[in-house]
Amino acid sequence: MSKESFKAFVQKNPTFAGYVNRGEMTWQKFYEMYDLYGESGDVWKTYREEKSTASSSLLGDTSLKEIFNTLKRVDLETVRKGVDGLSKAVGLLQDLSTTKEGGTPPKTYERRPMYRYFED
């Protein structure tokens, strides 16, 4: 079985992407199953029928376990760096806006007097 035929098979069955996104399966495992059983194997029945997750509420049919699994995968250090970057950008924009709106302008460079140590 070729990669192109596997790609075409996956495009016919878009529910496979949901299993990969949730971390239940990998594309490598799907490809190995495709290589062993082909397109018509009974093994695909469980993966072709996916639970409906569309709902009008914010969380939908998402279970608490799925939410916690998603939160476990969040890298808190990356989130912290992102928040720090945003706060610096907001501070910079505030500094720029106060000078344009007639607020206190930033300090300008003042030339210091020259001191002579030797009597020339």
Side-chain angles (χ1 to χ4, degrees):
M1 304 275 171
S2 69
K3 288 182 194 177
E4 287 77 25
S5 62
F6 175 69
K7 287 180 183 179
F9 176 66
V10 169
Q11 287 176 350
K12 288 184 227 171
N13 301 291
T15 57
F16 294 167
Y19 288 98
V20 174
N21 291 339
R22 288 191 301 269
E24 297 175 17
M25 284 291 282
T26 62
W27 289 117
Q28 179 66 35
K29 288 181 184 178
F30 274 134
Y31 182 75
E32 290 171 359
M33 290 169 54
Y34 177 78
D35 196 29
L36 288 174
Y37 302 110
E39 291 185 22
S40 61
D42 292 334
V43 73
W44 300 115
K45 286 182 183 177
T46 57
Y47 298 109
R48 284 186 176 148
E49 299 170 3
E50 187 177 15
K51 294 181 255 179
S52 173
T53 57
S55 180
S56 61
S57 69
L58 179 64
L59 296 176
D61 294 336
T62 307
S63 69
L64 210 51
K65 183 178 179 181
E66 291 175 2
I67 293 171
F68 284 127
N69 286 338
T70 304
L71 289 176
K72 283 181 190 177
R73 287 185 250 143
V74 172
D75 183 18
L76 295 178
E77 186 63 24
T78 306
V79 172
R80 186 190 61 79
K81 287 179 183 178
V83 169
D84 287 346
L86 282 174
S87 68
K88 286 179 184 177
V90 168
L92 178 66
L93 289 174
Q94 286 176 341
D95 289 344
L96 291 174
S97 68
T98 56
T99 58
K100 288 183 179 179
E101 294 174 1
T104 58
K107 291 186 177 182
T108 58
Y109 176 73
E110 294 180 19
R111 223 174 148 169
R112 296 191 326 189
M114 184 177 222
Y115 294 108
R116 295 189 178 183
Y117 293 107
F118 303 105
E119 305 215 25
D120 291 330

